[in-house]
Amino acid sequence: MPNTSPIQTRDYFGVRTLLASHPDMRRLKRATHATQLHGNKLWGSAYLLIDYLQKKPLPAASKVLDLGCGWGLASIYCAKHLQATVTAVDADPAVFPYLSLLAQHNAVNINTQCARFEALDADTLAQYDVIIASDICFWDEMSEEVFDLIHRAVDAGVEKIIIADPHRPPFLAVAEACIDDFFAELIPCEVLTSRHHRGSILLIENA
């Protein structure tokens, strides 16, 4: 007989995600508090970031900081397929049980830290080779703190910064400033999963 069980997972770029109908996801949602700061689902720009990393892989054993990690899709990709040591940072502690669940289903370990961007000083940022992020600049007031963080990271010697976004105005303002100050590139990109995702990668090479 054909398998008529419902599909409860999706796999893109070698990373498994769980649909809301998956028993583990249902149990987690019943057991945890609601997320804040829009950390309530997977965001499409993570796939733009993963697609870029698949085409332009990081050096093996890179130390990666994933800013505003949410459920940690890009963190999982870097740990699973690039053999990176990853620390995932978010201001909302309620996202970490979801990240942990997805990491378990992908058989990887991700370090986590609850912190706001302004709490990440130069000494902390200097511990990492690469900073990645997606969808971290969604309010106008975030532009300045994101740019300031990038400035600290550049000064701290972080070799590469890669940020994906679907072209929100606050992100584009940050990108323009980074192009002027840090010779950044803004790379248009799109990727197809269950949806068509479009946006850009902000790339800063600081090596």
Side-chain angles (χ1 to χ4, degrees):
M1 294 179 61
N3 185 359
T4 58
S5 60
I7 296 173
Q8 296 178 330
T9 64
R10 284 182 177 153
D11 290 77
Y12 299 112
F13 302 101
V15 175
R16 173 156 294 182
T17 61
L18 309 184
L19 300 184
S21 60
H22 193 286
D24 289 350
M25 187 64 77
R26 293 205 307 268
R27 280 193 292 269
L28 181 57
K29 287 187 174 180
R30 288 195 299 268
T32 57
H33 297 293
T35 58
Q36 304 171 5
L37 297 174
H38 303 295
N40 60 335
K41 62 179 181 179
L42 298 172
W43 291 91
S45 289
Y47 288 116
L48 297 177
L49 178 58
I50 291 170
D51 182 57
Y52 177 83
L53 291 170
Q54 188 176 64
K55 295 171 180 173
K56 303 284 187 179
L58 304 176
S62 291
K63 294 179 181 178
V64 175
L65 181 65
D66 184 4
L67 295 173
C69 61
W71 290 10
L73 227 58
S75 291
I76 291 166
Y77 178 83
C78 288
K80 188 174 184 178
H81 296 288
L82 302 179
Q83 294 74 53
T85 300
V86 186
T87 298
V89 175
D90 204 286
D92 182 1
V95 305
F96 295 123
Y98 293 91
L99 186 156
S100 178
L101 177 62
L102 293 181
Q104 290 173 24
H105 276 265
N106 285 276
V108 296
N109 294 313
I110 307 293
N111 303 313
T112 60
Q113 179 181 354
C114 186
R116 301 188 68 86
F117 291 161
E118 58 267 27
L120 301 172
D121 60 20
D123 289 341
T124 299
L125 298 171
Q127 299 173 37
Y128 299 95
D129 305 309
V130 181
I131 289 175
I132 61 172
S134 57
D135 280 304
I136 62 167
C137 203
F138 42 83
W139 293 328
D140 289 343
E141 58 266 29
M142 298 182 77
S143 296
E144 184 173 353
E145 61 186 84
V146 169
F147 178 79
D148 287 347
L149 186 148
I150 292 170
H151 201 313
R152 292 196 300 277
V154 170
D155 287 349
V158 176
E159 295 177 7
K160 186 174 294 189
I161 300 168
I162 311 167
I163 303 175
D165 193 90
H167 289 161
R168 292 188 178 90
F171 166 79
L172 293 175
V174 170
E176 183 177 352
C178 289
I179 290 168
D180 289 342
D181 289 7
F182 309 126
F183 305 101
E185 295 180 68
L186 192 62
I187 305 167
C189 53
E190 58 183 299
V191 68
L192 185 65
T193 60
S194 58
R195 296 172 51 203
H196 195 177
H197 309 286
R198 295 184 179 90
S200 284
I201 297 290
L202 177 65
L203 174 65
I204 300 173
E205 300 272 12
N206 191 40

